[in-house]
Amino acid sequence: MQDFIVDEDSHPRSIGFDATDRQDLVVTVGVLLNRTQEATLLDDLYQTIYDDGYLPFRTKSRDLSLPPEKVQELLLRCNGEVGICVHQDDVKLPFAEAVHSAILLDELSVTTDDTIAIVDGDQGRAGQLYQTAVAIDVVPPSITNCAQSELYYPHLLLADLVAGVVADTIAANPTALSSASVAGPVEMILETTLESRKGRWGRGYSAVARGEGEVRRATYEQRYAHSVRERVSCWFHGIFGKTHAPPPESDGVQPVVGRLEAMGCSDVATWLAEQ
């Protein structure tokens, strides 16, 4: 997988964010990986949940009904770093996700010279993360947005799956969070509810709700992929989805298949070769 090119600079790592809400509850998950680890995660997703209906670059989290145990297995085998934030209050999902994402950038010590941040949705979501980061004195990496990101990037799908399982668990048993502990790639689990009117949460949420603060416009390539092959090409080249953008210049999967086979990800490589 090729490095991301953002603002004309090469970046081999990314942190992908996604959030899920339930009544009076928001859970945000950040997954930090390099491009090689993305491929390993893709192969693990294919091997673990293909029989549950998962088709790479075609299936969204809402299309899957996975037992929590399977999602936990995927999470614990992830060879990157993961951070989870929880807020139990009546808040707006986009604002809460922006604040949580900025906090995770800080808590996971995400570096700015080799890493980008990927947020799901339109360019406005990227702007909200910038605003929040500035408000809580976090220097963010370049931030990119990717429409339907879980169809393009495997770690965005994992973030969405994990956020859903954590949200369902806490919604069913609010005391579950107090007994949760970090394990494997999960570097931190943070509840921000008690900071509702102070601290980083309060400053960040106020800034994004009012639309205050600096917003940078990173430059990077965006395309709209109509097919699995086009999404595979976008993923391989580090391109991000954008509604109504032109399709990628090529939908060839052979370079991707060859790279995956060389890395030992033969199962998913074989599947992609048949698409």
Side-chain angles (χ1 to χ4, degrees):
M1 278 37 69
Q2 298 178 354
D3 285 355
F4 300 105
I5 304 298
V6 180
D7 291 330
E8 300 183 351
D9 295 323
S10 177
H11 301 271
R13 301 200 310 166
S14 68
I15 181 167
F17 297 107
D18 214 324
T20 297
D21 63 343
R22 303 290 184 267
Q23 184 175 3
D24 296 336
L25 172 66
V26 173
V27 176
T28 305
V29 176
V31 181
L32 176 64
L33 296 175
N34 63 38
R35 302 244 59 198
T36 299
Q37 291 169 328
E38 284 181 46
T40 304
L41 173 60
L42 176 65
D43 193 53
D44 192 29
L45 287 167
Y46 177 80
Q47 292 186 44
T48 306
I49 59 176
Y50 178 79
D51 290 340
D52 295 282
Y54 169 68
L55 298 175
F57 305 100
R58 183 179 294 163
T59 305
K60 302 186 73 172
S61 62
R62 69 187 181 195
D63 302 322
L64 297 167
S65 296
L66 301 176
E69 295 78 15
K70 273 203 171 180
V71 176
Q72 185 176 25
E73 288 175 17
L74 289 166
L75 173 63
L76 293 179
R77 285 200 300 270
C78 176
N79 53 1
E81 298 176 55
V82 178
I84 302 171
C85 282
V86 177
H87 199 87
Q88 301 185 71
D89 202 354
D90 182 18
V91 294
K92 293 185 179 298
L93 175 62
F95 301 163
E97 181 177 0
V99 180
H100 278 167
S101 299
I103 290 172
L104 288 170
L105 288 174
D106 188 34
E107 292 290 331
L108 295 177
S109 301
V110 174
T111 51
T112 60
D113 58 339
D114 63 347
T115 309
I116 63 169
I118 306 173
V119 296
D120 182 51
D122 61 21
Q123 194 176 59
R125 292 294 184 94
Q128 289 172 336
L129 179 48
Y130 275 123
Q131 290 170 331
T132 303
V134 170
I136 66 173
D137 301 319
V138 170
V139 178
S142 296
I143 302 170
T144 68
N145 70 285
C146 183
Q148 297 187 316
S149 60
E150 59 189 315
L151 293 179
Y152 291 79
Y153 289 93
H155 56 317
L156 272 295
L157 176 61
L158 179 63
D160 200 9
L161 289 171
V162 172
V165 166
V166 173
D168 288 339
T169 300
I170 296 174
N173 177 15
T175 66
L177 183 62
S178 61
S179 60
S181 59
V182 297
V186 181
E187 299 285 335
M188 47 95 44
I189 301 174
L190 180 67
E191 183 174 12
T192 58
T193 312
L194 297 179
E195 296 185 26
S196 289
R197 300 184 184 279
K198 60 182 179 180
R200 294 179 297 182
W201 173 271
R203 298 199 310 274
Y205 196 90
S206 176
V208 70
R210 298 183 184 201
E212 299 173 343
E214 177 189 0
V215 175
R216 288 169 45 204
R217 298 298 185 196
T219 56
Y220 48 92
E221 187 173 2
Q222 288 188 293
R223 300 283 180 170
Y224 181 78
H226 297 269
S227 66
V228 168
R229 292 173 64 92
E230 288 180 343
R231 292 188 196 107
V232 171
S233 179
C234 287
W235 172 63
F236 180 74
H237 294 288
I239 297 171
F240 305 95
K242 180 181 179 181
T243 306
H244 305 307
E249 295 180 359
S250 169
D251 66 354
V253 299
Q254 286 310 310
V256 190
V257 170
R259 179 63 180 142
L260 289 170
E261 288 176 338
M263 294 174 57
C265 302
S266 56
D267 288 342
V268 73
T270 299
W271 184 85
L272 287 177
E274 297 171 351
Q275 302 309 301

